[in-house]
Amino acid sequence: MAHIELKEVSRYYGERPAVMNLTLSIARGERLVLFGPSGCGKTTVLRLIAGLIPPDSGEIWIDGRLASRNEKILMKPHERNASMVFQDLALWPHMTVRENLQFALRFRKIPPGERENRIRETLRTMGMEEYADVKPSHLSGGQQQRVAIARALITRPRILLLDEPFSSLDLETAYRIRSEILKLQKELKFTLIHVTHDRDEALHMADRVAFMRNGKVVKMSGVEEAGAYFEELKKRVQGD
Ligand code: ADP
Ligand code: MG
């Protein structure tokens, strides 16, 4: 059974379609990259899968359950076991790192002692243990990004949605964090949907690449085929 299925999903903002009649099936533990130009609907797809917005039409199935249908959200984000790291980070600025993580756990039934253990463990995984009592404004961009990822991981999601997570980082930090995420994914085997418009990052992270344009997936490729397709695109643009 697919982990996540979109069936003829459309989503509009006013008259304007952001996602158009999208059908997509994602296997459990798969790493899918959504690749495409700005405005093609990548963030909207993540928000639909997370259950943050309903589709206007179509169905979303998660774990074999109907999660969204037409204009209704039938499974809440935490019922979907999905966490999203947003494009603009969006750490809560008035809270320390620990409080940010505590807040992410607010709807979970976890005993207080276990809660602290889990926070410590998750921060250790992202190499941020010593920053628990610091506020985000005192952290570098790379450190904030680690906290944002830690906050997404603390609920132990089965679906991790990453929206251009490295776009604000220097190359070296981006490389380091993406390797860490890949390692974690291989260990914990959550389903990863990763949005990027960096081809090198796409090829590094993906099992499959969904090429998007104007709210549609125009091509779905395994990672090797995607590499060849990128070359072809480059030649086409350069005109040689
Ligand atoms: P991407 O992440 O690929 O850049 P988005 O999913 O953010 O694309 O946006 C897809 C389209 O929907 C774009 O045309 C964008 O302008 C529009 N859009 C996205 N969010 C909103 C919103 N909250 N209100 C109005 N239009 C939106
Ligand atoms: Mg976006």
Side-chain angles (χ1 to χ4, degrees):
M1 190 212 304
H3 189 179
I4 303 164
E5 268 196 281
L6 278 66
K7 295 183 183 171
E8 301 185 359
V9 168
S10 296
R11 167 76 198 200
Y12 289 78
Y13 290 104
E15 298 280 286
R16 197 194 175 108
V19 171
M20 256 196 292
N21 211 22
L22 183 65
T23 295
L24 184 62
S25 178
I26 304 163
R28 200 171 297 280
E30 184 176 9
R31 297 189 306 273
L32 178 72
V33 163
L34 300 181
F35 185 92
S38 180
C40 73
K42 304 179 297 294
T43 296
T44 305
V45 171
L46 294 191
R47 289 163 59 85
L48 286 162
I49 292 172
L52 299 171
I53 53 170
D56 290 308
S57 61
E59 295 177 353
I60 299 171
W61 292 74
I62 291 177
D63 289 320
R65 288 174 62 196
L66 188 55
S68 299
R69 179 163 191 270
N70 296 337
E71 292 166 359
K72 292 212 165 61
I73 290 176
L74 305 168
M75 283 167 85
K76 297 208 175 74
H78 69 268
E79 293 173 313
R80 298 176 185 215
N81 237 319
S83 284
M84 182 158 165
V85 175
F86 297 91
Q87 210 163 349
D88 55 1
L89 294 180
L91 290 172
W92 295 296
H94 57 292
M95 296 181 188
T96 64
V97 166
R98 174 183 284 110
E99 287 162 349
N100 264 275
L101 269 59
Q102 281 168 342
F103 197 69
L105 287 175
R106 69 197 179 285
F107 296 128
R108 312 287 166 140
K109 292 190 187 72
I110 300 165
E114 161 68 13
R115 225 166 253 262
E116 277 312 302
N117 284 340
R118 199 190 283 194
I119 288 171
R120 208 171 311 124
E121 185 192 310
T122 309
L123 285 177
R124 194 184 309 135
T125 304
M126 292 313 296
M128 290 299 291
E129 210 183 2
E130 43 189 304
Y131 298 93
D133 297 310
V134 171
K135 290 210 173 132
S137 58
H138 295 281
L139 298 173
S140 71
Q143 290 171 326
Q144 289 186 36
Q145 192 56 281
R146 282 163 194 266
V147 176
I149 294 164
R151 191 180 60 179
L153 290 172
I154 188 118
T155 56
R156 300 191 178 153
R158 299 313 300 155
I159 303 171
L160 184 64
L161 306 163
L162 298 177
D163 198 356
E164 301 190 30
F166 312 133
S167 50
S168 63
L169 302 181
D170 63 89
L171 215 54
E172 198 186 317
T173 310
Y175 285 166
R176 199 174 311 130
I177 298 184
R178 82 182 190 191
S179 301
E180 282 159 17
I181 291 177
L182 205 53
K183 198 168 126 222
L184 268 177
Q185 193 278 335
K186 286 178 175 161
E187 194 181 309
L188 303 173
K189 300 190 169 57
F190 47 77
T191 301
L192 177 65
I193 307 180
H194 183 120
V195 164
T196 181
H197 48 231
D198 183 286
R199 63 173 240 160
D200 175 59
E201 189 179 309
L203 294 176
H204 188 77
M205 298 301 285
D207 295 316
R208 277 196 304 164
V209 181
F211 292 88
M212 287 189 67
R213 186 178 289 262
N214 299 328
K216 295 187 167 175
V217 171
V218 292
K219 186 178 174 63
M220 180 67 95
S221 311
V223 66
E224 281 177 19
E225 195 194 342
Y229 186 62
F230 279 126
E231 285 305 314
E232 195 187 305
L233 278 180
K234 194 162 110 190
K235 283 191 188 137
R236 208 183 295 164
V237 172
Q238 288 174 345
D240 56 26

